[in-house]
Each structure stands twice: as C-alpha cells, then as structure tokens.
Amino acid sequence: MAKHRKPKSAYLPKVAAGAAPLALLLAGPATAWASESVPLPLDHQHTGSFDKGLSSGNALDGNDHSGFLDGFITTTNRDVVSGTLGDVEIFRNLSDTAHHLETSHGHKEFLAVDPTAGPLGAGSQQTHHLRGSGAQYDSVWLPHGIDVVGQVGDEPTLDVTRNTVLTGDGRGNTHALSELTAAAGWDRNSGQAVDIGQMAAIGTSAQQFGHGAFSGTLDVARRADDAVTARTGDKVGTAIGQSRDLGGHIGPVAGWGSVSQGAKLGHQGGFAGTLQPDGTPLGQVSQQVDAALSGTTSGELNVEHVLDVQGGTETRLGASGDLTKQDGSFTQKNDLKLALFDQAPLKGGLTISGPPLNIEHR
C-alpha cells in the first residue's frame, strides 16, 4: 500500500505554504487511469468547517472611556480521493485549504480638569488591525513510493494607530499633539516537491514579500508669552524581496541552488520652527533618504564520495543622505569551495567594496 512519506533526501528544500499545480495535473491522469483503463472503485471524502466570532465591550472609569470591537472568520476544507484495486490502494489525492480573517478596533478617550489649578487635558487613541491568511496543500500518492506535494500560502496585514492630545492651563500655555502610524504588508510562500522513492527527488520553493510603513507627527505649542512652536515629522519606509530555492538528487548526484533579491527605500523629514512674540519666524527643515539593493546566489553540486562544489556570490548597494547629497557604498563577495574524493576542500574568495576601494582575497 502506498503511503505518504517524508522526503527521503536532505537536499529537498523546505516548502512552506504553496500551490501544487503539478499535483493537480497528476491527480487528473491518475483518476482517469483508475476509472478508464481499470475499473477501480473510487472513494471521495469531504470535510469542512466554518467558524466566526464577534465581541465588543466598553468601559467607563471616571472621565476615561474605552471600547473595542473584535471579529474573525475561519474556514477549512479537505477532500480526499483514493482508488483501490482489491486491498491495495493504487493512488490517493489530498487537497486541504484554510482561510482566516481577523479584525480588531479599539478606542480610548480621556478628559481631565482641575478646578483649583485650572489645567485641562483631553486625548484620544484609535487602533485598527486587519490580518488575513490563506493556505492550500495538495498531494498525490502513487505506488512504488512516488509522492507529489505542493503548498501555497498568503498573509496580508494592516495596522493603523492614531493619537491626539490637547492640554492647557490658566496661564495661557496650550499644547496640541497628533500622531499617526500605519503599516501594511503582504507575504507569500509556495513550494512543490516530487519524491520517486530512493531513485530521485526534487523540490522547489519561493517566497515574496512587500512591506510598507508610515508615521507622522504634528506638535504645536503656545507659551504664555505668546510664542508659538511647531514641529512636524514624517517617516516612510518600504521593503520588497523574493527568494527561490531548488534542490534534489538523482541517485548519488545531488545539488541545490538559491537566488534572492531585495530592495529598501526610506525617507525621513521634519520641520521645527518658532514664531516669536514679535512676529519673527525661525525654522529649520531636515531631510534624509536611505536606499539599499541586495542580491545573493549560492549553490552546491555533490557526487557522493567523488566531487563536492559549493559557491556563492553576494552583491549589496547602498545610498544615504539628504536630498542634495548622497553617500553611496557597494560590496561584492564571491566564494568557492572544491573537494575531490572526500579530501580536504580547496576554498577561496574575493571581496570588493567601496568607497574607498578595497580588495580582499581569502
């Protein structure tokens, strides 16, 4: 009886959540072969679930008030199709899917008054959170130790927070502060693998992501002498990247390879100024920009007890500074290792970086 087994090769890359178009393609021919060439009895089992929840609440403590609203939805589905000939299971196809969505919202407000000294304070905070996830797993199990599996998964996220504070006193001092932060992202990973018993196995996986964040501040104050100060600031950042891995073996020959790329971009700006009581303005503006690019490639080829070759290269580029002047840097690394007949390996590398230009041999 063919049963699901773990991959037999250490060179199969780990596959996290991913789609299996190959598994679905093989499932079709396997079913057709079972139902047309040989009249096999088919067994189809389906299970699923649906769950949801919603909760809310409010609280009042003196002049402070808070509340929340949370909710979620979760669904799962599983389909198993198998074909048997006598007491022998000829094939089995498994498909699992799961989806989850959650959201939460909260708020807080406060109010403070001192009738004796005269200070007044008020503020609020709002938070919003949203996250989703989806995953699908497919597999086909055939006789003679042949397994085909595939997975895919996605996870988007969003978070937003806003704070506002107002304060003042009887002497004419007032202060207003407002802050906003937000972050969003999307992560995706996938993988497929084919296992042909002890003969051969191959697997591939991929990951992609994109993240972004923003924060902004507005801070204004008025002093008792009628001077007004103001400060603003903002920070924006984004990051994207991807990686792909491939590995496997055919008999005594095994190998793997990996490629990744990434990019980051950030901006930070601000203003600080004062309006003097006589109407004279003073102020200063600041700007900062940062950027980075990176890429790596690595791999290995191994023939058992005969040859082992490993190598890799890494490139990094960076720049930072204000809008009028940027300072850049770069680094290039290369490494190679070679071993024959289980002997001590020969290895070396070269690194080039700058500025200033620097070359290093290893």
Side-chain angles (χ1 to χ4, degrees):
M1 177 181 295
K3 296 183 179 179
H4 183 226
R5 290 164 302 279
K6 294 182 179 179
K8 299 178 179 61
S9 171
Y11 292 95
L12 274 176
K14 180 181 180 182
V15 285
L22 183 58
L24 298 178
L25 289 176
L26 291 182
T31 305
W33 175 83
S35 60
E36 296 178 8
S37 301
V38 180
L40 297 177
L42 297 179
D43 177 55
H44 178 205
Q45 300 178 11
H46 172 79
T47 58
S49 66
F50 176 80
D51 192 15
K52 60 182 175 62
L54 183 66
S55 61
S56 62
N58 290 277
L60 182 61
D61 182 10
N63 293 324
D64 297 342
H65 176 259
S66 62
F68 70 91
L69 175 65
D70 299 336
F72 75 92
I73 296 176
T74 302
T75 64
T76 63
N77 284 282
R78 164 171 285 199
D79 287 279
V80 180
V81 179
S82 59
T84 59
L85 182 60
D87 295 331
V88 180
E89 185 179 62
I90 301 302
F91 77 95
R92 183 152 57 114
N93 173 227
L94 169 66
S95 179
D96 272 328
T97 60
H99 296 88
H100 178 77
L101 177 65
E102 65 181 40
T103 180
S104 63
H105 308 273
H107 65 89
K108 297 179 180 178
E109 297 84 22
F110 76 89
L111 177 64
V113 179
D114 187 344
T116 304
L120 169 68
S124 67
Q125 181 186 72
Q126 295 179 341
T127 59
H128 307 278
H129 167 75
L130 179 66
R131 184 179 74 88
S133 63
Q136 180 174 340
Y137 171 85
D138 295 282
S139 65
V140 178
W141 304 323
L142 300 174
H144 309 296
I146 300 176
D147 300 340
V148 183
V149 298
Q151 306 175 69
V152 65
D154 294 274
E155 183 174 332
T157 58
L158 174 64
D159 292 279
V160 179
T161 301
R162 182 172 183 174
N163 295 299
T164 303
V165 177
L166 300 173
T167 60
D169 60 30
R171 297 185 298 273
N173 295 303
T174 59
H175 181 213
L177 174 65
S178 179
E179 297 175 323
L180 175 66
T181 61
W186 192 295
D187 293 86
R188 178 182 178 87
N189 52 76
S190 60
Q192 297 83 35
V194 180
D195 188 355
I196 314 178
Q198 298 295 334
M199 182 185 304
I202 187 171
T204 179
S205 65
Q207 295 81 35
Q208 298 88 30
F209 71 86
H211 298 157
F214 166 83
S215 64
T217 302
L218 174 61
D219 189 346
V220 181
R222 180 182 180 273
R223 300 198 303 259
D225 61 359
D226 291 332
V228 178
T229 62
R231 180 178 62 88
T232 65
D234 66 87
K235 187 175 182 180
V236 181
T238 60
I240 59 174
Q242 68 166 354
S243 63
R244 298 182 181 276
D245 302 276
L246 174 67
H249 77 91
I250 301 177
V253 180
W256 61 267
S258 178
V259 178
S260 66
Q261 299 89 29
K264 295 181 179 180
L265 178 63
H267 172 269
Q268 184 172 352
F271 167 79
T274 302
L275 182 62
Q276 302 287 0
D278 61 1
T280 303
L282 301 173
Q284 184 178 7
V285 177
S286 62
Q287 300 282 346
Q288 177 75 25
V289 177
D290 299 286
L293 296 174
S294 63
T296 62
T297 302
S298 58
E300 179 182 7
L301 176 64
N302 179 276
V303 180
E304 190 173 1
H305 302 303
V306 176
L307 172 69
D308 184 64
V309 181
Q310 300 180 31
T313 179
E314 178 182 359
T315 303
R316 296 187 179 275
L317 303 174
S320 63
D322 57 29
L323 297 180
T324 60
K325 182 181 179 181
Q326 293 283 320
D327 296 321
S329 63
F330 74 91
T331 302
Q332 175 71 44
K333 295 182 179 180
N334 301 278
D335 292 283
L336 181 64
K337 184 169 69 173
L338 172 64
L340 297 174
F341 303 108
D342 296 329
Q343 300 299 308
L346 301 175
K347 56 184 179 180
L350 177 66
T351 299
I352 305 175
S353 61
L357 181 62
N358 180 58
I359 301 177
E360 178 185 350
H361 298 273
R362 296 186 298 282

